[in-house]
Amino acid sequence: MSGPKSRWAGVGAEWRDRWLAVVLTAAAFVPGLAVLGAQFGDLPRRGGDVLAVLLVVGQTLPLAVRTRWPAAAFAVIGICFAAHEVLAYPTTIGSLALYFALYSAGAHEKRFRRVLAAVASAGYVVFAVLLALRGSPAGLHDYAVYFGVLVAFWLLGAMVRQRRHQEAERRRLVAEAAVAGERARIARELHDVVTHHVTAMVVQADAAQYLAPERVPEALTAITGSGRDALTELRFLLGVLEATGARTPGLAALRDLVDRPGRVVDLVEEGVRPELPAETELTAYRIVQEALTNAAKYAAGSPAAVRVSYGADFLEIEVTTEGTATEPGALGSGGRGLRGLGDRVQALGGRFTAGPSTDGFRVSATIPARSAA
């Protein structure tokens, strides 16, 4: 059950200002609260009249728009306060509205901040001169102290405004970073999906030129299967972008990934597969996919081995490709794909390595099993 504080926090700023104006206006006519009011100039107080009531109301009611029109509210409150003090009407707690108005001007005014500060300072000088002409015993030091107090409330509002601006800027930068990260993630997904399947189709189409006529239908079937797989994964990606809840490929799809025509891949899974975060499973799938894609491009026909070890705390993946590539070091030329996988694994708190081995190329990764936490 929500308390009064939480319910008050849920009220809009304009309604809070209105309630403040109403409460302070009512309190201004309670005699016992007059000792809490602000008093300038120490002039002998005179009795109240209709004008005194109007000046008190002129100080309190403008608080209802202090957030929406801070400069106008401050101007009206300041003029009424100055007239109330110069005419030496009885002190009321309604005079505290001046401090609220100063804070609001510092916190909410945007367009006329400097002009308002200059006009308010000049108005204070005129106010001090009028009090002196009325016989105020206050000296220059007293007026300097009064001015310092008023400036403090203005600066307090300005400080709050600055912090609010910094927070808004921080949120903007966080949002931009999130958008940039999401774009990079989508780019990696498109790279992984398109590169893997298109490469497989190209390799299969090239190989079909050298097959016996009776094996051509088998090659065409393999190409069709790669195309369908590409469409399926693109639908998965579109489902994620559209927030439809479509599942992306995971560790359960590794067997289908390695069992493709034209590949000689040995898949070994050690341990019991636990429940893993979706991003962890997708990253593991992409590691195997990218390694096999590079093998198909640069070491076609060479045998490969995929080992996935499930532990209590870590998931270990190793993909090794035997044989020599058609170009020196070409097995490692996955470039953007391997770099992207390294970034993914690092973001999950794991380790990723890719490089030549004694008889080919090796890609390995260790990912925390509870990286989502």
Side-chain angles (χ1 to χ4, degrees):
M1 186 175 181
S2 60
K5 185 176 180 181
S6 61
R7 288 197 297 268
W8 177 255
V11 177
E14 292 188 2
W15 277 102
R16 290 199 296 267
D17 292 344
R18 292 169 187 171
W19 276 109
L20 176 62
V22 170
V23 171
L24 196 58
T25 300
F29 296 100
V30 179
L33 298 178
V35 294
L36 301 176
Q39 186 182 89
F40 280 56
D42 295 328
L43 291 174
R45 296 289 149 172
R46 55 185 288 189
D49 52 25
V50 175
L51 180 58
V53 173
L54 293 177
L55 291 177
V56 170
V57 172
Q59 294 175 65
T60 58
L61 287 185
L63 289 177
V65 294
R66 70 185 184 95
T67 301
R68 187 174 183 181
W69 295 310
F74 172 56
V76 174
I77 292 172
I79 292 172
C80 290
F81 175 85
H84 187 276
E85 293 302 300
V86 170
L87 295 176
Y89 283 120
T91 303
T92 71
I93 195 175
S95 57
L96 296 181
L98 179 65
Y99 301 132
F100 286 105
L102 280 165
Y103 168 84
S104 300
H108 302 293
E109 181 57 36
K110 299 177 181 179
R111 298 178 57 189
F112 307 109
R113 293 177 58 80
R114 294 183 179 180
V115 174
L116 185 61
V119 172
S121 299
Y124 182 80
V125 173
V126 174
F127 172 58
V129 171
L130 290 176
L131 287 175
L133 293 177
R134 290 274 293 164
S136 172
L140 183 62
H141 176 266
D142 298 319
Y143 289 114
V145 172
Y146 296 156
F147 186 74
V149 172
L150 298 178
V151 170
F153 278 91
W154 175 287
L155 292 179
L156 178 61
M159 182 178 65
V160 171
R161 179 179 181 273
Q162 180 65 22
R163 288 186 177 179
R164 191 184 301 121
H165 175 75
Q166 292 174 349
E167 178 63 18
E169 181 67 12
R170 185 192 67 81
R171 290 177 182 174
R172 185 186 66 82
L173 293 176
V174 169
E176 288 184 355
V179 170
E182 187 65 11
R183 286 176 177 172
R185 188 186 70 82
I186 294 172
R188 288 196 300 265
E189 287 296 316
L190 288 173
H191 171 274
D192 293 339
V193 172
V194 175
T195 300
H196 172 76
H197 293 293
V198 171
T199 298
M201 293 168 68
V202 170
V203 171
Q204 290 163 349
D206 287 341
Q209 303 177 45
Y210 306 101
L211 296 176
E214 62 272 12
R215 296 192 60 190
V216 171
E218 178 184 349
L220 293 177
T221 300
I223 295 173
T224 301
S226 297
R228 287 173 177 168
D229 290 341
L231 290 175
T232 300
E233 290 201 32
L234 286 174
R235 289 193 190 101
F236 285 146
L237 181 56
L238 290 175
V240 172
L241 294 178
E242 295 172 355
T244 59
R247 290 184 55 83
T248 52
L251 293 169
L254 284 182
R255 176 58 62 184
D256 293 335
L257 180 64
V258 300
D259 290 342
R260 298 284 172 83
R263 287 181 177 171
V264 181
V265 182
D266 182 24
L267 173 63
V268 177
E269 294 185 83
E270 301 173 351
V272 178
R273 183 190 307 153
E275 289 290 333
L276 295 170
E279 182 63 22
T280 301
E281 290 215 17
L282 178 60
T283 299
Y285 181 91
R286 296 302 187 205
I287 290 171
V288 177
Q289 185 182 60
E290 179 67 19
L292 296 180
T293 298
N294 288 337
K297 284 195 291 187
Y298 305 113
S302 298
V306 178
R307 182 182 65 84
V308 182
S309 178
Y310 304 106
D313 299 318
F314 290 95
L315 168 67
E316 296 182 356
I317 304 164
E318 182 180 75
V319 183
T320 55
T321 304
E322 299 179 7
T324 305
T326 56
E327 302 176 21
L331 278 172
S333 62
R336 179 177 178 179
L338 293 179
R339 285 195 300 270
L341 290 174
D343 294 339
R344 281 190 176 193
V345 173
Q346 186 176 6
L348 294 175
R351 298 187 302 273
F352 178 84
T353 58
S357 62
T358 54
D359 56 353
F361 198 79
R362 178 175 176 270
V363 175
S364 66
T366 302
I367 307 174
R370 297 178 178 85
S371 55

